[in-house]
């Protein structure tokens, strides 16, 4: 069940920037009257002005009551059928999920830090109920009785898949434990939730409070004038300096600290910033003791459930199969990329020696971004930013819609929107969709052939003070496909970003990296909205962790191919397509320090697997010593060890990527392999697009991930193309 799988995150939703992709949502019809419980009821797109944390607290009890009533009905089943057992489970947490997903929007996009305790209390209440069903012996015995019935051996494929998933899920969550074991499992889950919430809060609070005051303008040499002025205005906002005696403020939250690392000519200043950044998640917001306890709880849980370690437990139902296979995959990537990594570092070292005039100079950790940028500028030759003028946000968005509408047989239409102040008593006019901020946009996806409304999505792309940073896809309601025998409820999602695309009347420009991120999140949105699976828990992005990134990562490829690029890379005033010289610049941007960046991902993924696979070896070590021991040979090119961002690494210690961070590289391997089929048949070929929609995007988790992949490719994945891409990036595609 998606809510059971993700509720551990809810307490942290208002606290941290996650790369969230999972569960989903229904969609809009005509405007409807305000519901009594707006967090729980489906009346078209949510009426956001009525969704407050106070209202969520009021709506929690009826949602919990519905859940308890459905649990009691399931407990009292005497003659099991699919409908009163597995079918009942499929919708047992329907209102709780709706409340949690809508609350997630408030937590991440309309953040009020004063409400953290309220949201944590809500998540704790929900977690307690969900734990109850997983440890409910009556229900487990009824499910086992149902699974043994003759009818259970002849179910339709989708129902059979769900039956198998539910039985496996209950076993892995303590179904066969003794009463004492179940009690301990609940305690572990509750403590893990509390620690994860604290870790997330520490990470966010530490990053938000991090700042560095600069009083000498010369120490900012190398930074663009606009950045320097911005840092000065930020300082003045905090009462630091004025126009006559200016000061400058660098923070981690707005990225100016990282701008200094990448562009600041003052090496001593870069070192100050780098060393101070290592304190995030420490000091007054110390996550070190939480890491040890989180790892201990995970290891205990795995052993309680019969696994050797947490990594093996996590990998058990994933595409990779075993943690050992995942580790072997990472080792292959590490060994393959190491020659290119060493070559990149040697190039940066040469640049430093030329720049400093010191023939013996070595790279310091705070040099990588700086000399990497100089290398990028030399390779890219983007004529002082002219590339950006071809990536106007509204052109990018429209071109993206054209590309994937053509591939998958869709129409994507924008709807008018209105933002209503909470408590005003106003309602949205006819045909307008309510949004939580005036700059949020709203779109509908329909099947071009049938006109069926498949799903809808919001786009919230501009920065705000009450919004977490990053870019992610967020699901809002789960919906159901247009099928005989069930109500058609279109799905709803949101694409959220902090990078900024401007307003409808004043669009901004985007960097190639921002465009790639947008295409990625749109891939998650399509995977979710185009699902044809009728069972909520098997639909859309509710797939195994190491497959969920595949349908989104593959979208990134269309950003870099000349044929698709021409759909959106146009000069902002003349509409001319991107010149070849700037196209080469864009490709250089893509391949910029690629080996170094892959090695960084490899390092985090290797640490993640190793510390979970061999907990007993590391359990008495402080986290920084563990990190040094595990990653010693990943940092051989600098004067001192440059640690991974361990103490604010929410992917590993808060969300579902613990023992699964390898999934990003695994997904990229799948993507490179599968995109070769598009390259062979035509990247805008609607026949191949229809095949990908039918075999991958529409299927969710209705079949094991490896079978879905075989359905599209006709074979198992091959890493060969990915290895070649890592070691020798391809030539530009032809216009």
């Amino acid at each position: 069940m998606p809510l059971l799988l993700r509720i551990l995150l809810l307490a942290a939703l208002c606290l941290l920037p996650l790369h969230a992709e999972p569960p989903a949502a229904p969609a809009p019809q005509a405007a409807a009257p305000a519901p009594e419980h707006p967090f729980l009821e489906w009346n078209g797109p949510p009426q956001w002005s009525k969704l407050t944390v106070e209202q969520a607290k009021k709506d929690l009890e009826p949602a919990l009551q519905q859940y308890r009533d459905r649990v009691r009905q399931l407990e009292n089943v005497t003659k099991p059928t699919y409908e009163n057992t597995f079918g009942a489970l499929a919708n047992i947490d329907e209102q709780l999920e709706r409340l949690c997903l809508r609350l997630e929007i408030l937590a991440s996009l309309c953040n009020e830090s004063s409400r953290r305790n309220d949201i944590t209390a809500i998540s704790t209440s929900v977690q307690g109920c969900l734990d109850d069903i997983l440890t409910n012996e009556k229900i487990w015995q009824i499910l086992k009785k149902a699974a043994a019935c003759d009818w259970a051996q002849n179910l339709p494929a989708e129902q059979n898949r769900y039956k198998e998933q539910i039985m496996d899920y209950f076993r892995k969550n303590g179904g066969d434990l003794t009463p004492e074991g179940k009690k301990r499992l609940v305690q572990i889950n509750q403590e893990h939730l509390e620690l994860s919430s604290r870790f997330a809060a520490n990470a966010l609070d530490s990053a938000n409070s991090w700042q560095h005051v600069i009083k000498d303008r010369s120490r900012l040499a190398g930074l663009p004038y606009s950045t320097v002025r911005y840092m000065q205005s930020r300082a003045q906002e905090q009462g630091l300096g004025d126009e006559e005696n200016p000061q400058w403020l660098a923070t981690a939250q707005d990225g100016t600290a990282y701008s200094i690392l990448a562009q600041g000519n003052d090496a001593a200043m870069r070192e100050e910033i780098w060393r101070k950044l290592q304190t995030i998640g420490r000091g007054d917001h110390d996550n070190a003791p939480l890491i040890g306890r989180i790892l201990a709880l995970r290891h205990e849980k795995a052993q309680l459930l019969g696994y050797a370690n947490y990594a093996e437990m996590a990998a058990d139902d994933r595409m990779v199969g075993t943690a050992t296979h995942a580790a072997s995959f990472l080792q292959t990537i590490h060994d393959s990329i190491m020659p290119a990594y060493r070559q990149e570092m040697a190039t940066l070292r040469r640049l430093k020696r030329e720049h400093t005039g010191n023939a013996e100079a070595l790279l310091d950790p705070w040099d990588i971004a700086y000399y990497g940028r100089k290398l990028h500028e030399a390779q890219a030759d983007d004529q002082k930013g002219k590339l950006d003028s071809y990536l106007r946000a509204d052109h990018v968005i429209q071109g993206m819609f054209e590309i994937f509408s053509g591939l998958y047989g869709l129409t994507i239409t924008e709807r008018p929107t209105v933002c209503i102040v909470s408590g005003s008593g106003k309602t949205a006019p006819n045909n307008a969709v309510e949004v939580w901020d005036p700059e949020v946009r709203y779109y509908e996806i329909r099947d071009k052939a049938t006109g069926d409304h498949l799903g809808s999505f919001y786009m919230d792309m501009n920065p705000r003070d009450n919004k977490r940073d990053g870019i992610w896809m967020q699901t809002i309601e789960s919906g159901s496909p247009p099928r005989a025998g069930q109500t058609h409820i279109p799905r709803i999602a949101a694409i959220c970003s902090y990078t900024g695309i401007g307003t409808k009347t004043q669009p901004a420009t985007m960097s190639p990296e921002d465009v790639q991120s947008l295409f990625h999140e749109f891939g998650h949105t399509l995977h979710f909205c185009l699902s044809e699976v009728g069972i909520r828990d098997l639909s859309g992005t509710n797939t195994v962790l190491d497959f969920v990134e595949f349908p989104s990562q593959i979208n990134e490829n269309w950003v870099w191919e000349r044929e698709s690029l021409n759909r959106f890379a146009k000069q902002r005033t003349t509409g001319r397509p991107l010149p070849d010289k700037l196209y080469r610049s864009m490709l250089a941007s893509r391949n910029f320090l690629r080996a170094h960046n892959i090695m960084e991902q490899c390092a985090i993924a290797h640490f993640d697997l190793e510390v979970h696979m061999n907990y007993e070896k590391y359990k008495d070590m402080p986290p920084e010593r563990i990190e040094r021991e595990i990653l010693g040979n990943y940092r051989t090119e600098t004067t001192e060890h440059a640690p991974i961002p361990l103490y604010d690494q929410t992917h590993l210690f808060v969300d579902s990527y613990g023992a699964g961070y390898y999934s990003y590289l695994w997904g990229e391997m799948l993507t490179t392999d599968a995109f070769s089929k598009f390259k062979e048949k035509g990247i805008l070929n609607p026949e191949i697009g229809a095949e990908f929609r039918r075999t991958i995007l529409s299927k969710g988790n209705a079949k094991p991930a490896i079978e879905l992949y075989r359905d599209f490719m006709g074979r198992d994945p091959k890493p060969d193309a990915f290895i070649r891409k890592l070691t020798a990036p391809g030539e530009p595609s032809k216009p």
Side-chain angles (χ1 to χ4, degrees):
M1 295 183 236
L3 187 58
L4 290 172
L5 290 169
R6 67 184 303 201
I7 191 60
L8 287 175
L9 302 180
L10 181 57
L13 290 177
C14 62
L15 310 178
L16 74 155
L18 298 176
H19 177 77
E21 1 275 13
Q29 310 275 322
E36 180 183 357
H37 298 292
F39 274 92
L40 311 181
E41 300 177 25
W42 167 243
N43 289 280
Q47 295 175 296
W48 297 103
S49 59
K50 302 184 184 305
L51 302 185
T52 64
V53 176
E54 285 301 325
Q55 185 64 49
K57 292 164 68 177
K58 295 176 183 177
D59 290 354
L60 176 62
E61 186 51 43
L64 291 175
Q65 189 58 52
Q66 183 205 63
Y67 180 79
R68 296 186 191 107
D69 291 344
R70 292 181 177 184
V71 168
R72 281 194 292 271
Q73 290 175 8
L74 187 52
E75 286 177 333
N76 292 325
V77 168
T78 55
K79 295 182 179 180
T81 65
Y82 177 85
E83 288 72 21
N84 65 19
T85 56
F86 301 107
L89 269 176
N91 295 306
I92 201 166
D93 58 4
E94 179 183 10
Q95 287 193 346
L96 283 177
E97 182 195 64
R98 184 166 289 150
L99 183 146
C100 289
L101 292 176
R102 294 180 181 188
L103 188 61
E104 182 176 354
I105 290 289
L106 300 186
S108 57
L109 300 175
C110 311
N111 179 21
E112 297 294 340
S113 58
S114 61
R115 308 320 302 266
R116 289 180 180 177
N117 291 339
D118 291 326
I119 292 181
T120 299
I122 291 172
S123 66
T124 301
S125 297
V126 176
Q127 176 66 46
C129 277
L130 299 179
D131 278 336
D132 286 346
I133 197 172
L134 288 174
T135 57
N136 188 310
E137 184 63 24
K138 286 184 179 179
I139 290 178
W140 179 226
Q141 293 304 322
I142 289 168
L143 292 177
K144 288 199 287 188
K145 181 179 179 181
C149 291
D150 290 342
W151 56 259
Q153 316 312 312
N154 300 288
L155 290 170
E158 202 172 280
Q159 293 182 356
N160 188 62
R161 170 72 171 164
Y162 185 63
K163 176 201 72 177
E164 292 175 349
Q165 292 280 286
I166 285 295
M167 296 300 290
D168 192 46
Y169 190 75
F170 268 75
R171 289 190 189 97
K172 290 176 181 174
N173 283 274
D176 288 328
L177 292 179
T178 64
E180 294 76 15
K182 291 180 179 181
K183 180 179 178 181
R184 179 57 190 150
L185 184 63
V186 169
Q187 293 171 342
I188 290 172
N189 287 341
Q190 290 174 340
E191 185 179 356
H192 191 279
L193 170 64
E194 192 271 333
L195 293 176
S196 296
S197 300
R198 283 171 53 196
F199 187 102
N202 283 343
L204 185 65
D205 289 344
S206 184
N208 284 344
S209 63
W210 190 102
Q211 61 180 40
H212 192 77
V213 180
I214 299 125
K215 298 182 179 181
D216 182 352
R217 170 67 175 82
S218 67
R219 304 204 70 191
L220 297 176
L223 271 69
Y225 175 76
S226 59
T227 303
V228 175
R229 285 292 298 172
Y230 170 77
M231 293 172 65
Q232 183 179 341
S233 68
R234 286 297 303 271
Q236 289 179 3
E237 288 172 5
Q238 295 198 18
L240 301 171
D242 52 35
E243 288 295 333
E244 291 185 4
N245 300 289
Q247 296 182 28
W248 296 266
L249 185 67
T251 74
Q253 190 265 348
D254 66 7
T256 47
Y258 302 98
S259 295
I260 292 174
L261 286 179
Q263 299 171 283
N265 293 337
D266 187 331
M269 172 58 70
R270 296 199 307 271
E271 180 180 359
E272 288 176 27
I273 294 293
W274 182 83
R275 292 196 184 283
K276 195 169 180 178
L277 285 171
Q278 309 310 307
T279 66
I280 292 179
R282 303 303 307 272
D284 293 338
H285 309 285
D286 193 5
N287 273 333
L290 303 186
I291 290 175
R293 186 57 184 157
I294 287 170
L295 292 174
L297 289 170
R298 288 175 175 176
H299 186 71
E300 183 184 358
K301 179 176 181 176
Q303 295 208 314
L304 185 63
L305 294 171
Y307 294 92
N309 55 67
Y310 185 79
E312 290 299 344
M313 184 185 84
D316 189 34
D317 64 347
R318 292 178 182 165
M319 190 177 182
V320 76
T322 66
T324 302
H325 186 199
S328 176
F329 167 73
L330 288 178
Q331 190 64 49
T332 299
I333 301 305
H334 173 275
D335 295 347
S336 300
I337 202 66
M338 181 58 80
Y341 169 69
R342 291 187 183 280
Q343 184 177 0
E344 281 184 355
M345 293 301 101
T347 300
L348 297 187
R349 190 164 58 246
R350 174 179 56 78
L351 285 177
K352 181 177 181 179
R353 289 172 176 175
E354 292 174 355
H355 185 257
T356 61
N358 179 1
E360 304 300 322
L362 300 176
L363 282 175
D364 296 307
W366 47 91
D367 290 332
I368 304 298
Y370 179 72
Y371 289 104
R373 183 178 180 86
K374 286 191 172 297
L375 176 64
H376 171 53
E377 289 172 348
Q379 291 177 340
D381 185 23
D382 72 352
Q383 300 183 23
K384 298 182 180 179
K386 285 187 178 180
L387 177 59
D388 286 351
S389 71
Y390 285 83
L391 297 176
R392 197 172 112 165
D394 54 348
H395 292 168
V396 170
I397 293 170
Q398 190 57 43
M400 179 177 72
F401 291 168
E402 289 178 6
I403 290 167
F404 296 108
S405 292
L407 274 172
Y408 303 135
L410 310 171
T411 59
I412 301 174
T413 307
E414 185 171 6
R415 288 272 304 274
T417 58
V418 60
C419 182
I420 299 175
V421 177
S422 293
S424 67
K426 296 181 180 179
T427 58
N430 288 338
N431 199 42
V433 175
E434 189 175 330
V435 293
W436 51 86
D437 184 85
E439 294 181 0
V440 174
R441 307 180 193 183
Y442 184 86
Y443 300 86
E444 290 182 348
I445 303 176
R446 294 183 181 271
D447 184 274
K448 186 177 293 184
T450 65
D452 287 334
H453 184 183
L454 305 175
S456 298
F457 61 97
Y458 301 86
M459 290 189 73
D460 184 349
M461 304 293 286
N462 292 320
R464 293 189 302 276
D465 289 340
N466 65 345
K467 176 182 176 182
R468 77 187 192 199
D469 62 4
I471 180 167
W472 69 98
M473 186 278 269
Q474 194 157 326
T475 56
I476 299 172
E477 293 207 45
S478 297
S480 59
R483 279 184 166 188
Q486 66 183 65
T487 302
H488 173 209
I489 304 176
R491 309 173 194 276
I492 299 180
I495 299 175
C496 312
S497 172
Y498 206 75
T499 56
I501 61 168
T503 66
K504 296 177 183 179
T505 56
Q506 293 183 311
T509 59
M510 304 178 75
S511 70
E513 294 73 26
D514 290 340
V515 176
Q516 177 172 298
S517 296
L518 177 60
F519 274 57
H520 177 105
E521 300 308 330
F522 191 55
H524 283 307
T525 305
L526 290 173
H527 189 200
F528 166 56
C529 288
L530 302 189
S531 177
E532 297 177 4
V533 180
I535 299 174
R536 177 173 49 121
D537 298 353
L538 299 180
S539 68
T541 52
N542 292 316
T543 69
V544 291
L545 184 70
D546 53 5
F547 190 73
V548 73
E549 294 296 334
F550 166 54
S552 55
Q553 284 180 316
I554 199 169
N555 266 29
E556 298 173 15
N557 289 277
W558 278 271
V559 176
W560 308 99
E561 295 291 327
R562 183 51 130 162
E563 186 179 359
S564 49
L565 185 68
N566 287 343
R567 299 291 182 97
F568 61 84
K570 304 172 183 179
Q571 213 285 329
R572 71 174 76 183
T573 54
T574 66
R576 290 196 305 266
L578 190 72
D580 288 344
K581 186 173 184 179
L582 291 186
Y583 178 50
R584 288 191 293 270
S585 170
M586 189 169 169
L587 291 179
S589 172
R590 181 191 193 187
N591 295 322
F592 165 59
L593 288 188
R594 179 164 177 76
H596 172 269
N597 295 334
I598 292 292
M599 192 63 78
E600 287 291 303
Q601 280 191 293
C602 240
I604 297 173
H606 177 60
F607 173 89
D608 177 40
L609 273 179
E610 175 69 15
V611 78
H612 285 105
M613 289 177 72
N614 296 292
Y615 169 76
E616 294 291 345
K617 177 180 178 180
Y618 302 111
K619 66 179 181 180
D620 296 323
M621 295 185 190
E624 61 268 21
R625 182 182 165 193
I626 300 173
E627 196 267 355
R628 281 178 173 271
E629 183 157 331
I630 291 175
L631 299 179
N633 68 338
Y634 281 75
R635 296 292 189 275
T636 58
E637 304 298 325
T638 54
T639 56
E640 62 180 271
H641 180 74
I644 62 174
L646 189 61
Y647 299 102
D648 62 344
Q649 188 57 257
T650 53
H651 263 11
L652 304 193
F653 301 113
V654 178
D655 68 18
S656 58
Y657 280 83
Y661 198 86
Y662 73 89
S663 298
Y664 284 106
L665 289 171
W666 180 264
E668 193 168 348
M669 179 271 291
L670 296 178
T671 291
T672 306
D673 186 36
F675 191 65
S676 65
K677 184 169 183 176
F678 282 95
K679 294 270 283 187
E680 177 186 352
K681 304 290 186 179
I683 64 167
L684 299 179
N685 186 331
E687 293 182 3
I688 301 301
E691 188 176 350
F692 190 75
R693 176 180 169 181
R694 177 181 60 81
T695 58
I696 303 293
L697 297 179
S698 70
K699 295 301 183 183
N701 191 25
K703 296 170 71 173
I706 188 63
E707 293 185 22
L708 296 177
Y709 193 86
R710 289 170 185 152
D711 288 345
F712 178 64
M713 291 297 291
R715 56 168 174 77
D716 285 350
K718 295 180 180 179
D720 310 35
F722 184 46
I723 299 299
R724 287 195 301 271
K725 180 180 175 182
L726 291 180
T727 55
E731 293 297 317
S733 59
K734 302 299 181 184

